[in-house]
Amino acid sequence: MMKPIEYVDVVVLGSGPAGLAAAFASAKQGANTVVLERQERPGGILKQCIHDGFGNLRYNETLTGPEYAYREIQQVIAALVPIRTNCFVASVEHGEHHFLLNCISPSGIERISARALVLATGCRERTDRQVFIHGDRPAGIFTAGLAQRLINIDGLIPGNRAVILGSGDIGLIMARRLSIEGVQVEGVHEIRHESSGLKRNIQQCLEDFDIPLYVQSTVTSVVGSQRVKAVHVAAVDVKNMPIMSTEQYIPCDTLILSVGLIPENELAHSLDVPIDPVTKGPVVDHVMHTMVDGVFACGNCVHVSDLVDYVSESGSIAGKHAAAWALDGCADRTLVPVSRAGNLAYVVPQMIDTSSPQRSASCYFRVRHTIERTTQLRINSEGQQLDCLTFDELYPPQMERFAINETIFSSIKQPSADISIELVLVEASHD
Amino acid sequence: MATSLEKIQSVMTKKYGSALEISTPGSSIRLEGSLDTYQMKVEAGWTAARFGYKAVINDITVPDVQEETIACSSYVDNVLERLHFDVAIIGGGVIGTSIARELSKWNMKIILIEKEEDVGVHTSSRNDGMIHDGFAAKPGTLKALYNVRGNRLWEPLASDLGIGFKRPGSLLLFSNPAMKALYPLMADRAKRNEVDGWEFWSRERVIAEEPYVTSKQHGGFFLPSAAVISPYKATVALAESAMLNGAKLMTSTCLTGFEIEHNTIRRLHTNRGICTASIVINASGNWADIIAEMAHDRFFSLHHRRGTECILDMESSRWQQHIMSMPSILQVREKTKGGGIVLTEEGNVLIGPTAEEHPGREQYTTSPSDMIKLKKHFTLNSKLSMDQIITYFCGVRPCTYEEDFIVGPSDNISNLIHVAGIQSPGLASAPAIAADVAEMVIAKAKTFMEIQPKANWIPKRTADIITRRLSLEARDELIRLDPSYGKIICRCEQVSEKEVVNALHSTLPATSLDAVKRRTRVQMGRCHGGFCTARCIDIIARELHIDACDVVKKGPDSQICKGNMSHDETNRIC
């Protein structure tokens, strides 16, 4: 006989920074909350991020990943929220006003019925084949996150001589980490014309360790039938296609890839949660409520963030409102789409619920192209400008945050067709 | 009737200049000389195959293409020294293992030797798993004969082997309205090949069956008997079934030579010692001509046609119900069917394969041009796109110039049977080929020994436990027996720790990460090992009592990590 169904208010899926913040916020509202974690320990990917740079905004100090995770875990434990580790959600059934989760755990099948779900499932790494690197398939090809886990958690050294493709933050951090462990890092190759990592990481991880960064350069193929023997690298043209005449043979035994993160939303798909084609995460309103009633989402499964502090912030919002949804029943939402214009790659949230008691919103955006001039971000509704913010420089890798405060929120006309966010370049002023 | 040498000489000279030297040793035709490219060499072989000889020996040299030698395992011992076997099978692909299992029904001493660390490493795991209907094979060929027979045998065989089997059927779309006129011709061919069923589907029927099909279709020809299995699971299961019935299976064992006396193989030399065998079966895939040469019986040559396929995310299979392709009219003259969309037994969508003549017998390098060739198949279903690709892989088909199978005893060596040139539809044909080869072996063996069918032969192999396919109740019960069935280590494919452990302690145990992957599907999902690799290394090291940095991806020299810091004091460098 299977264990009886357990009834709770809120289930949080994932115990990374988003899930932990959500669980704490949910419990603080008085909701009976449980966190499900498929790995052996809570903390998500923070566990393996032993470098510092976490928590500048949330804790006003610089912490390592495990330190940051520890604080969040302690908070959740203090709030008496159980974190069930080794608990894998195999499927979710959508009932009337509840969700039934079927979980696999070493103590048997656990069935949990929840009024609200918070998806905090994070993201996965894009692999070599998903960026169409060809050639052989030997041992010695790692995603940066896997290499990081092998070194920092398992104490294993992935190779002796490495080439890194992709200058996202994980790629940069791994260049430094490998160097510290005595691995010869031949260089970091970036297909774009600039690094997609934070500026501080380029300084601290590459320049301080004399690791060369090759921009507009990519790995074209891998050589070696058993273990990597070498990679071919080549410069790329404006369309990011390799220029074969520039191809070079670089002997190495390891290829590390930091070529992008993909939000993990397989459970969201199974619940038919609408997904934003740009972020690859669920479409959410300003309280992180997806377009399926009762399903909330936060953190990197919504959109890939650059700072953990933002991930935690979205978790807190999602947790708080998931609890409210579960406890107070289901109020109708008045969703107003947020449209974007100009150089904006995306804006999250994609919707504002104007009937929500939450009268302010944290918004995040990324630009498509670098802007090195002063830019204004204008928030308009029904042809009327509600707010205007100024940015000095904007880079695609950097996620930007702005807030719609209570005053502005209240000035959104009801009903309104949409809220539009546009980026406008400011003409140079003549002081 | 074979064409006269003078006539051949004149045809070949006209086509390829005077560069070629032609002779007719035995009942084969042999080409020597040199040509500029491998493609030209292969074309010359195809031309020679039309002159009515038993087989083509193609010894044309091509600049920058060296004749390859078998890369033998560096492992050496003498466990086979002085042992005698009634039958020795060279090669642990789906053909060798199928034959081993058939022969294990008899009270004979059987050995199968495989040079790699696992069975089914090469062509048998590098294909789309299709059990073809038999329509595509040329009527009258061995391919046509064995394919249709094999198709009938696979479903009960899969059930005995405890592996999955699905029969989605195959739909050939008409790319132009005039192709409907070909229906009677197609039906006639299906009839001649004795294919099990065929139907004409109207454009509307196709839309009803495949809602996301391209609008460019004009109906189609449906073959309901086309099926799919997991080719690597099948090969492992066949090997294990043979082993359960007493066959000896030696991996990392490479044939290095034969000792031949009076046109009979007396001894087999291997890296594991010298043994004897009364009957030898050459089932060595892409090396079959090299093995034949070792027996001084190289009456045929192989050429190697590689194919690349890409694997799409599991979610893609929601939009595709049948195996589907759109052959072009021009394709009739091609050597292959041209590829398309295949559904795997496990629920992925495969796109491919390509077909390209290439000299490397075990070269699995993929290239951007493969992807360009595969692009067209994506347009057959409006929901499929390149961004659903998880990975892609390459396999090599061993082909004779006659483009047909060779199945039968050697003309020159009294105790050698060749099973060569087993390209597509080789997987589909395997059980039928094995049945025929077993008959040949038994007939031969009866001439010099007493043989009886085994009374206690076990047809059934216990199916591996695949927890994701079980009901929640069944999973719950299993977890109570062993909690590690409840510890999911591969999130994409929902594989539990216990399934990995089982693979490491099965009848034919996995010894590498790739072998675990083929048996359990860890690493096969959308993260492609990003999350589970570290956990797999840990489990493999623990279960095999080896250091974590000695865990290999695929056989010797493929260690995944190069050093282990977790040892006290010294940094262990592997």
Side-chain angles (χ1 to χ4, degrees):
Chain A
M1 276 292 285
M2 285 200 287
K3 279 188 260 182
I5 296 175
E6 186 185 340
Y7 294 87
V8 299
D9 296 322
V10 176
V11 164
V12 178
L13 296 156
S15 72
L20 291 168
F24 178 66
S26 168
K28 222 164 71 177
Q29 296 295 307
N32 182 5
T33 308
V34 56
V35 182
L36 306 180
E37 168 56 51
R38 53 191 166 194
Q39 287 206 291
E40 290 167 296
R41 290 196 176 86
I45 220 74
L46 285 173
K47 296 193 295 290
Q48 66 189 49
C49 299
I50 61 169
H51 52 282
D52 69 0
F54 299 92
N56 290 333
L57 302 175
R58 192 166 167 90
Y59 291 106
N60 255 326
E61 56 183 307
T62 297
L63 305 172
T64 64
E67 284 170 336
Y68 188 102
Y70 180 77
R71 290 195 187 190
E72 299 284 322
I73 293 165
Q74 289 309 311
Q75 220 176 15
V76 171
I77 291 172
L80 303 177
V81 176
I83 305 174
R84 308 245 174 97
T85 54
N86 280 321
C87 184
F88 180 88
V89 179
S91 60
V92 186
E93 295 163 36
H94 193 167
E96 207 176 318
H97 305 302
H98 79 283
F99 300 90
L100 180 65
L101 296 112
N102 299 310
C103 315
I104 316 294
S105 87
S107 60
I109 301 296
E110 300 188 15
R111 287 172 298 163
I112 305 170
S113 170
R115 290 170 186 275
L117 293 184
V118 180
L119 304 175
T121 43
C123 53
R124 66 173 181 271
E125 297 176 276
R126 194 168 276 135
T127 67
D128 55 326
R129 297 262 151 170
Q130 286 154 13
V131 292
F132 298 107
I133 294 176
H134 284 274
D136 300 319
R137 284 200 298 178
I141 305 172
F142 304 88
T143 55
L146 172 58
Q148 188 179 47
R149 176 184 159 138
L150 287 169
I151 297 181
N152 294 346
I153 294 188
D154 301 284
L156 295 170
I157 305 291
N160 297 323
R161 204 169 166 189
V163 167
I164 298 178
L165 176 63
S167 64
D169 291 311
I170 320 168
L172 300 175
I173 282 156
M174 283 315 293
R176 174 176 65 184
R177 189 74 190 93
L178 289 162
S179 296
I180 291 170
E181 290 305 333
V183 179
Q184 174 67 36
V185 179
E186 297 293 327
V188 175
H189 295 260
E190 169 61 52
I191 196 161
R192 300 206 284 193
H193 60 88
E194 61 187 352
S195 163
S196 55
L198 295 172
K199 296 218 146 134
R200 69 166 194 230
N201 281 333
I202 295 172
Q203 174 67 47
Q204 294 168 8
C205 300
L206 298 189
E207 289 166 16
D208 293 357
F209 285 82
D210 292 326
I211 298 167
L213 172 67
Y214 304 97
V215 293
Q216 287 173 296
S217 174
T218 193
V219 171
T220 50
S221 66
V222 175
V223 183
S225 68
Q226 295 300 99
R227 174 84 197 189
V228 175
K229 278 188 187 144
V231 296
H232 283 110
V233 299
V236 295
D237 62 19
V238 283
K239 286 180 177 162
N240 283 348
M241 294 308 287
I243 304 163
M244 294 324 271
S245 59
T246 65
E247 198 172 72
Q248 266 184 296
Y249 179 90
I250 312 231
C252 60
D253 64 6
T254 304
L255 172 63
I256 307 271
L257 296 136
S258 168
V259 288
L261 299 167
I262 307 167
E264 285 243 289
N265 282 303
E266 278 61 46
L267 283 172
H269 291 168
S270 76
L271 290 166
D272 291 324
V273 171
I275 301 291
D276 180 329
V278 180
T279 59
K280 311 262 187 236
V283 171
V284 289
D285 68 16
H286 72 290
V287 298
M288 308 309 285
H289 202 167
T290 70
M291 296 303 103
V292 172
D293 284 349
V295 180
F296 293 75
C298 53
N300 281 349
C301 74
V302 175
H303 62 135
V304 178
S305 301
D306 52 355
L307 295 178
V308 68
D309 311 70
Y310 293 150
V311 166
S312 295
E313 185 188 17
S314 78
S316 299
I317 297 168
K320 179 181 168 192
H321 293 277
W325 176 271
L327 296 174
D328 304 339
C330 318
D332 280 339
R333 288 191 272 170
T334 312
L335 295 171
V336 178
V338 177
S339 68
R340 58 191 151 80
N343 186 14
L344 288 164
Y346 70 78
V347 178
V348 167
Q350 294 89 343
M351 299 279 177
I352 302 277
D353 174 10
T354 51
S355 57
S356 167
Q358 176 73 36
R359 311 300 292 165
S360 65
S362 299
C363 304
Y364 305 92
F365 71 90
R366 274 196 167 92
V367 288
R368 258 194 275 265
H369 316 289
T370 301
I371 310 172
E372 285 172 327
R373 289 166 57 189
T374 305
T375 318
Q376 280 184 346
L377 181 93
R378 293 180 188 158
I379 306 166
N380 309 313
S381 177
E382 299 289 301
Q384 203 184 327
Q385 184 171 316
L386 304 181
D387 199 6
C388 176
L389 298 139
T390 306
F391 294 87
D392 283 338
E393 289 176 321
L394 290 167
Y395 299 100
Q398 198 137 333
M399 200 169 89
E400 299 291 343
R401 180 183 179 281
F402 65 93
I404 295 179
N405 64 28
E406 217 175 323
T407 326
I408 302 163
F409 201 100
S410 305
S411 63
I412 298 171
K413 275 199 196 132
Q414 292 207 46
S416 69
D418 79 335
I419 296 161
S420 77
I421 312 276
E422 62 173 339
L423 268 183
V424 183
L425 287 177
V426 176
E427 295 304 315
S429 58
H430 306 281
D431 286 350
Chain B
M1 260 302 280
T3 316
S4 75
L5 200 52
E6 293 79 51
K7 180 80 195 295
I8 296 168
Q9 199 87 50
S10 99
V11 172
M12 296 301 275
T13 306
K14 218 184 222 170
K15 264 192 139 154
Y16 303 100
S18 55
L20 300 184
E21 213 176 287
I22 295 144
S23 57
T24 54
S27 39
S28 298
I29 176 167
R30 181 175 183 207
L31 310 178
E32 288 171 281
S34 73
L35 286 174
D36 292 343
T37 66
Y38 187 73
Q39 186 65 35
M40 287 170 75
K41 168 179 172 165
V42 172
E43 279 167 21
W46 284 332
T47 308
R50 292 192 212 121
F51 298 126
Y53 289 84
K54 184 179 178 186
V56 177
I57 305 168
N58 191 340
D59 289 337
I60 295 169
T61 57
V62 174
D64 302 324
V65 177
Q66 259 82 51
E67 195 43 66
E68 295 170 284
T69 52
I70 300 175
C72 196
S73 169
S74 55
Y75 189 81
V76 176
D77 64 18
N78 59 2
V79 295
L80 290 181
E81 195 67 32
R82 288 167 195 270
L83 296 183
H84 175 77
F85 300 94
D86 298 318
V87 184
I89 302 163
I90 319 295
V94 73
I95 298 299
T97 55
S98 291
I99 294 169
R101 181 176 184 272
E102 270 311 301
L103 290 175
S104 74
K105 293 174 178 171
W106 300 81
N107 63 337
M108 288 192 293
K109 279 184 76 180
I110 301 153
I111 185 169
L112 184 153
I113 66 170
E114 165 55 49
K115 69 182 167 66
E116 305 297 340
E117 97 284 2
D118 192 13
V119 297
V121 171
H122 293 289
T123 308
S124 296
S125 62
R126 296 169 171 276
N127 64 75
D128 54 21
M130 202 167 151
I131 304 303
H132 298 82
D133 38 74
F135 168 75
K138 201 167 145 194
T141 57
L142 288 182
K143 276 186 180 178
L145 174 80
Y146 287 126
N147 185 164
V148 173
R149 277 199 212 161
N151 182 296
R152 291 174 194 150
L153 292 170
W154 260 118
E155 190 164 12
L157 177 58
S159 154
D160 277 351
L161 293 173
I163 60 165
F165 179 93
K166 279 184 190 161
R167 207 184 278 283
S170 170
L171 177 59
L172 307 178
L173 296 174
F174 297 145
S175 57
N176 116 25
M179 281 177 84
K180 273 179 220 164
L182 293 176
Y183 176 68
L185 287 174
M186 295 172 90
D188 181 59
R189 181 179 188 144
K191 196 181 280 174
R192 285 168 69 195
N193 282 356
E194 295 179 40
V195 172
D196 293 325
W198 57 88
E199 284 167 27
F200 170 72
W201 282 7
S202 66
R203 185 181 155 84
E204 293 68 34
R205 173 82 190 270
V206 169
I207 294 167
E209 298 272 353
E210 290 288 356
Y212 307 106
V213 71
T214 170
S215 59
K216 289 180 182 140
Q217 55 96 10
H218 297 272
F221 188 68
F222 183 65
L223 295 143
S225 65
V228 287
I229 58 167
S230 159
Y232 29 89
K233 280 194 181 167
T235 307
V236 170
L238 285 160
E240 291 194 341
S241 175
M243 291 165 82
L244 286 169
N245 286 297
K248 189 176 178 69
L249 196 136
M250 297 275 295
T251 52
S252 303
T253 305
C254 185
L255 184 81
T256 53
F258 291 120
E259 273 179 51
I260 294 167
E261 277 169 33
H262 307 299
N263 294 326
T264 300
I265 295 170
R266 294 294 179 200
R267 287 187 190 81
L268 288 80
H269 289 234
T270 75
N271 57 323
R272 318 288 297 270
I274 299 170
C275 61
T276 55
S278 306
I279 298 171
V280 177
I281 297 168
N282 174 12
S284 52
N286 272 298
W287 301 95
D289 52 345
I290 305 279
I291 299 291
E293 170 84 48
M294 285 184 186
H296 311 309
D297 188 34
R298 191 171 61 97
F299 67 92
F300 63 95
S301 291
L302 293 178
H303 59 104
H304 313 284
R305 185 157 56 232
R306 59 201 243 170
T308 298
E309 308 207 38
C310 49
I311 307 176
L312 309 193
D313 195 289
M314 283 273 190
E315 294 204 334
S316 310
S317 64
R318 290 191 286 173
W319 305 306
Q320 182 72 38
Q321 310 306 316
H322 307 89
I323 297 162
M324 195 167 88
S325 59
M326 187 181 272
S328 66
I329 298 178
L330 292 172
Q331 216 166 280
V332 176
R333 295 175 59 188
E334 299 282 322
K335 303 290 175 195
T336 62
K337 297 172 287 298
I341 302 172
V342 180
L343 303 172
T344 69
E345 192 275 323
E346 285 102 338
N348 290 96
V349 171
L350 289 187
I351 305 285
T354 58
E356 180 200 1
E357 301 299 332
H358 193 275
R361 292 171 196 258
E362 285 175 8
Q363 268 187 38
Y364 304 121
T365 305
T366 59
S367 72
S369 64
D370 296 330
M371 290 295 121
I372 294 165
K373 285 176 201 151
L374 292 177
K375 250 184 188 163
K376 63 170 186 253
H377 300 306
F378 282 88
T379 62
L380 294 181
N381 178 318
S382 61
K383 288 276 187 181
L384 302 184
S385 65
M386 300 280 276
D387 64 12
Q388 294 156 11
I389 295 176
I390 293 177
T391 190
Y392 33 93
F393 64 91
C394 174
V396 180
R397 309 166 179 92
C399 308
T400 64
Y401 288 98
E402 294 70 33
E403 299 292 343
D404 199 5
F405 302 155
I406 292 173
V407 179
S410 158
D411 288 345
N412 305 310
I413 303 294
S414 68
N415 61 343
L416 176 62
I417 295 172
H418 293 290
V419 190
I422 312 295
Q423 53 162 305
S424 174
L427 179 71
S429 305
I433 293 174
D436 259 17
V437 171
E439 246 177 60
M440 293 173 204
V441 171
I442 302 307
K444 174 93 187 155
K446 280 184 173 162
T447 63
F448 58 83
M449 65 185 280
E450 267 300 297
I451 62 163
Q452 301 291 331
K454 271 183 203 155
N456 56 349
W457 186 72
I458 311 156
K460 292 258 181 204
R461 168 186 171 271
T462 311
D464 299 326
I465 291 169
I466 304 169
T467 55
R468 72 175 174 281
R469 292 192 173 183
L470 300 176
S471 67
L472 289 175
E473 288 79 7
R475 286 176 93 159
D476 194 57
E477 257 173 55
L478 264 182
I479 295 166
R480 264 166 234 288
L481 290 174
D482 190 327
S484 58
Y485 277 118
K487 203 167 170 188
I488 301 297
I489 62 145
C490 165
R491 61 175 72 172
C492 307
E493 299 289 320
Q494 283 194 33
V495 184
S496 67
E497 175 170 336
K498 182 65 176 173
E499 289 162 70
V500 173
V501 171
N502 289 347
L504 294 163
H505 300 297
S506 56
T507 310
L508 178 64
T511 56
S512 66
L513 187 58
D514 279 359
V516 170
K517 171 180 170 177
R518 288 189 290 270
R519 285 161 178 76
T520 64
R521 287 189 70 74
V522 291
Q523 314 235 311
M524 283 199 182
R526 51 181 73 89
C527 89
H528 228 63
F531 289 114
C532 65
T533 300
R535 297 178 88 174
C536 289
I537 292 174
D538 191 42
I539 297 166
I540 295 171
R542 182 187 79 206
E543 295 295 319
L544 302 185
H545 306 292
I546 57 175
D547 192 279
C549 66
D550 291 329
V551 173
V552 293
K553 178 169 159 55
K554 44 174 172 181
D557 308 317
S558 68
Q559 279 78 6
I560 297 159
C561 292
K562 290 284 190 178
N564 192 341
M565 298 183 278
S566 60
H567 297 283
D568 292 338
E569 310 203 358
T570 48
N571 246 10
R572 188 197 141 122
I573 300 297
C574 299

